[in-house]
Amino acid sequence: MKCQQKKKPLRAIYLTLYEHFGWLDWWPADSDFEVCVGAILTQNTAWSNVEKAINNLKTKNMMSPGSINSASREDIARLIKPSGYFNQKAEYLKQFCTFLVKNSLNKLKKMNMIKARDQILKVKGIGKETADNILLYALNFPIFVIDAYTKRVFSRIGLVKDDIIYDELQSFFHKKLLTDIEFFKDYHAQIVMLAKTYCKKTPECEKCPLRLKKLCCYCK
């Protein structure tokens, strides 16, 4: 007998994860700009390190485009040191804040999503994942964020190939899911939580909620 869940696998996976983890209410931030800073700093590091860097910026009243734009790269690098690659990321923050002087977040919110994305991607140090995090969590555009966790989980359970590229995997989600901003936010958060908790580099499949809910028919 064929698994009936395979008819709508993405919805079944989300509902199972939601039941297991609950609503995750991402992205933790006090402002849209702080989301952008976090999206840049979280590249190649753990979120706990990003929190330390953000707290350092807040302590020095540096959580605004103007304050970062006017500060020296050396001062910014010193404050964000916990996030790793701090010299590089300081430059990226400076470049992004210079960009925001001409294109405020409110201005970006009024743009067409594709146009806003194209503009953000022109900023040095901003790749597709970082741009899409900014679009979804700071600007509230309906775009599904793809990261290494997404690729790991969905290739392991057999829904996509392990060599699928960013745009193809994003299109896979866009075509099969109802377009909804809050749903996209929570689904991405659920995937990250699953990957960090069970679907690690060395997976703990026996504890995975997808397997416990008999969704293991996806597994290779």
Side-chain angles (χ1 to χ4, degrees), residues 13-30:
I13 289 168
Y14 172 77
L15 291 175
T16 299
L17 297 178
Y18 174 79
E19 180 180 324
H20 186 80
F21 294 115
W23 185 263
L24 295 175
D25 195 27
W26 273 22
W27 186 297
D30 293 328

Side-chain angles (χ1 to χ4, degrees), residues 9-10 13 146-173 176 218-220:
L10 294 188
I13 289 168
I146 302 300
D147 56 17
Y149 294 133
T150 311
K151 188 173 181 179
R152 179 198 299 173
V153 170
F154 285 86
S155 62
R156 279 181 176 173
I157 62 180
L159 288 182
V160 300
K161 296 180 180 179
D162 56 11
D163 61 349
I164 191 169
I165 63 173
Y166 191 101
D167 292 343
E168 290 177 344
L169 186 50
Q170 187 175 65
S171 179
F172 173 77
F173 283 96
K176 295 181 179 295
Y218 298 126
C219 297
K220 293 181 179 179

Side-chain angles (χ1 to χ4, degrees), residues 27-29 34 38 41-42 45-59 63 79 82-83:
W27 186 297
E34 186 178 324
L41 295 183
T42 199
T45 194
W47 182 254
S48 58
N49 296 327
V50 175
E51 289 181 317
K52 294 174 184 176
I54 287 176
N55 286 335
N56 288 344
L57 290 170
K58 287 182 173 180
T59 299
M63 192 50 69
L79 293 171
S83 68

Side-chain angles (χ1 to χ4, degrees), residues 174-210:
H174 283 171
K175 289 178 180 178
K176 295 181 179 295
L177 293 175
L178 177 69
T179 301
D180 181 272
I181 296 167
E182 296 305 316
F183 174 55
F184 279 5
K185 289 179 180 179
D186 195 58
Y187 204 147
H188 175 235
Q190 298 288 346
I191 293 168
V192 174
M193 186 64 74
L194 177 69
K196 288 185 174 181
T197 308
Y198 304 112
C199 200
K200 305 173 185 178
K201 289 185 178 180
T202 301
E204 299 179 7
C205 297
E206 68 282 358
K207 300 177 183 179
C208 177
L210 299 183

